Amino acid sequence: MTPHSCFSCSLPLPRSLSAAAVLLAGLAAAPVARSADAAAPAPASTAPASAQRAAANAFNPAISLILSGGYTQLQRDPASWRLAGFQTGGEIGPGSRGFGLGESELGLSASIDPRFFGSMTVALSDDEGAAVEEAYAQTTALPAGLTLKFGRFLSALGYQNELHAHAWAFVDAPLAHQAFLGGQRREDGPQLRWLAPTELFAELGAELGRGETHPGAARKKNGAGAWTLFGHLGGDIGASQSWRAGLSLLSARPQGRESSVLDAAGNEVTHAFTGHSRTWVLDGVWKWAPDGNAHSRWVSLQGEWMRRSERGTLVADRTGLASVAPYRATQSGAYLQGVWQFMPGWRAGLRGDWLRVGTVDAGANAALLESARHDPSRTSLLLDWVPSEFSRVRLQVAQDRVRAGVNDRQVMLQYQMSLGAHGAHSY
């Protein structure tokens, strides 16, 4: 994998999805070449010094560090931010007011041998300390277009979930990701992908995992707690445009999944859901750059639609009344965003978010749940300055209408600095 600045990951690179397929195929060849170098006889004393240094570093992993932080100004108290009517979890909300460190990332990656590639990313933050975001091995030489990844990884559900947070176009996750995926979904287990041998980019994949992250929950049983199926199609339109579309399905069986919510009287309580959760995701991306050259100008449009259905039982006010009743809900959400690089290093963006509370049938617990008659929404504007491949400063201003009858003007100023080599993200 070619060392690559992380902040160009959001650019329309590689130039085409066909090129992306070639790069994937190239993963198999690169480690073989390195192994061949390692197995070669010891260099003669006349070998160039640069070659000797390369040989000495052949087994050192690539190390990268993303430093992140900034300033957040919120018109309303972030403690009152919540998605009423949704059973939520994970890391959601606008964060804290004032200056602060964001989530920095430390990454290690290397080819292991001719058959495997390995990568680990640790998220560092004041709130949670160090947490393993990804730690996986991936095959590089399976036949027939197959790739197997195993360990902990960002799920390929939809489009944005698989990208590291520093590669997102906007500072925070879309509302649909926060409501249905807890911000970003990780999975522990295996993932199998198949890349079709066609000129049109076509990919199918499946994941089987522990299912602990939202909408799943911690398990105390053998077996898998969740599975995901996904498929992607993509291609080029002339020399300047490319696209990708996908459909994904996540199925989870949470047991006692806790959500901190308000009851009908406005008191904060904890509900626990046990049952079956299914989430459909439809995603699409279109990118334009003149003749495929993204240095000066480019445009990117990206959107995802999610629909979640849950059926089971809900324990309302788990530590108080502990009222148990059947629970059924069907809810949806979407976002659409566009980013325009209008001159080298400068980008502007606009994003719209919508959530639909849908139908919620809590049976005998209906009177204990917070009223859910408001459909949350948000509009965000972005100004992004990327002075080099290794630094980025962005300003995001949002009108947040998540709370019924409340407009929250949010201003977020964020810096991101990249140290060391960083592998390229997917299209």
Side-chain angles (χ1 to χ4, degrees):
M1 185 171 290
T2 304
H4 189 85
S5 165
C6 63
F7 304 126
S8 60
C9 300
S10 56
L11 300 176
L13 297 176
R15 182 173 176 174
S16 69
L17 284 170
S18 300
V22 172
L23 284 176
L24 287 173
L27 276 173
V32 173
R34 202 195 73 173
S35 177
D37 291 343
S45 58
T46 56
S50 59
Q52 294 185 26
R53 285 196 296 271
N57 292 326
F59 294 99
N60 292 337
I63 302 175
S64 67
L65 179 64
I66 305 294
L67 300 179
S68 179
Y71 175 81
T72 300
Q73 180 167 311
L74 306 174
Q75 188 179 10
R76 308 291 179 179
D77 184 358
S80 66
W81 193 97
R82 61 189 71 251
L83 296 169
F86 295 83
Q87 303 297 318
T88 57
E91 301 176 12
I92 63 175
S96 303
R97 285 168 160 164
F99 291 99
L101 285 176
E103 185 177 277
S104 297
E105 290 183 3
L106 176 63
L108 302 172
S109 63
S111 295
I112 299 169
D113 62 20
R115 295 178 176 80
F116 295 100
F117 168 83
S119 178
M120 180 174 184
T121 302
V122 178
L124 307 170
S125 68
D126 275 350
D127 296 336
E128 299 187 359
V132 177
E133 186 171 271
E134 288 190 294
Y136 64 83
Q138 179 176 314
T139 62
T140 59
L142 287 183
L146 294 170
T147 302
L148 177 64
K149 181 188 291 186
F150 48 92
R152 173 174 296 179
F153 50 85
L154 297 174
S155 172
L157 181 77
Y159 178 76
Q160 179 164 308
N161 189 78
E162 199 171 14
L163 300 176
H164 288 171
H166 64 262
W168 296 349
F170 286 75
V171 174
D172 49 6
L175 289 180
H177 282 244
Q178 298 191 43
F180 303 128
L181 305 179
Q184 189 168 35
R185 188 166 193 283
R186 296 185 298 270
E187 191 58 278
D188 292 356
Q191 178 198 73
L192 182 65
R193 291 175 183 258
W194 174 68
L195 184 64
T198 58
E199 187 168 343
L200 179 73
F201 176 79
E203 177 189 59
L204 297 175
E207 299 169 0
L208 189 66
R210 188 173 180 83
E212 281 200 354
T213 55
H214 197 80
R219 287 174 55 86
K220 298 180 181 178
K221 290 185 174 181
N222 294 322
W227 55 261
T228 301
L229 300 176
F230 58 89
H232 301 130
L233 290 175
D236 301 328
I237 306 174
S240 302
Q241 304 176 60
S242 60
W243 62 277
R244 200 197 83 167
L247 179 65
S248 308
L249 172 61
L250 163 65
S251 177
R253 301 188 69 87
Q255 297 178 332
R257 186 191 69 206
E258 294 187 344
S259 298
S260 179
V261 299
L262 296 181
D263 63 13
N267 302 311
E268 185 166 348
V269 297
T270 300
H271 298 335
F273 171 76
T274 298
H276 192 193
S277 176
R278 280 194 171 185
T279 305
W280 287 92
V281 183
L282 182 65
D283 65 272
V285 182
W286 171 83
K287 298 183 179 183
W288 171 88
D291 296 323
N293 182 357
H295 175 69
S296 298
R297 294 178 298 139
W298 54 264
V299 175
S300 172
L301 295 178
Q302 170 187 328
E304 292 180 273
W305 172 83
M306 298 185 182
R307 181 179 185 272
R308 183 171 76 181
S309 299
E310 296 196 317
R311 178 181 297 183
T313 58
L314 185 74
V315 182
D317 191 5
R318 186 174 193 173
T319 59
L321 297 174
S323 173
V324 182
Y327 176 85
R328 179 183 299 182
T330 300
Q331 301 171 309
S332 61
Y335 74 90
L336 179 64
Q337 67 183 43
V339 178
W340 171 38
Q341 176 164 298
F342 50 91
M343 60 183 294
W346 287 92
R347 307 164 187 170
L350 173 64
R351 180 180 66 187
D353 284 284
W354 309 271
L355 288 176
R356 296 292 178 264
V357 172
T359 57
V360 179
D361 182 1
N365 282 335
L368 301 176
L369 303 185
E370 186 179 16
S371 175
R373 300 175 181 173
H374 171 66
D375 291 328
S377 63
R378 184 178 60 180
T379 304
S380 305
L381 290 171
L382 174 77
L383 182 63
D384 198 357
W385 178 46
V386 186
S388 78
E389 295 182 48
F390 306 99
S391 59
R392 179 186 203 179
V393 180
R394 52 185 173 181
L395 174 66
Q396 179 175 313
V397 180
Q399 281 291 344
D400 182 292
R401 296 174 291 277
V402 164
R403 290 157 281 199
V406 175
N407 281 333
D408 184 13
R409 184 179 299 111
Q410 303 172 346
V411 180
M412 300 177 182
L413 180 64
Q414 184 188 58
Y415 66 83
Q416 292 180 327
M417 303 291 156
S418 175
L419 290 70
H422 193 94
H425 291 272
S426 58
Y427 174 83

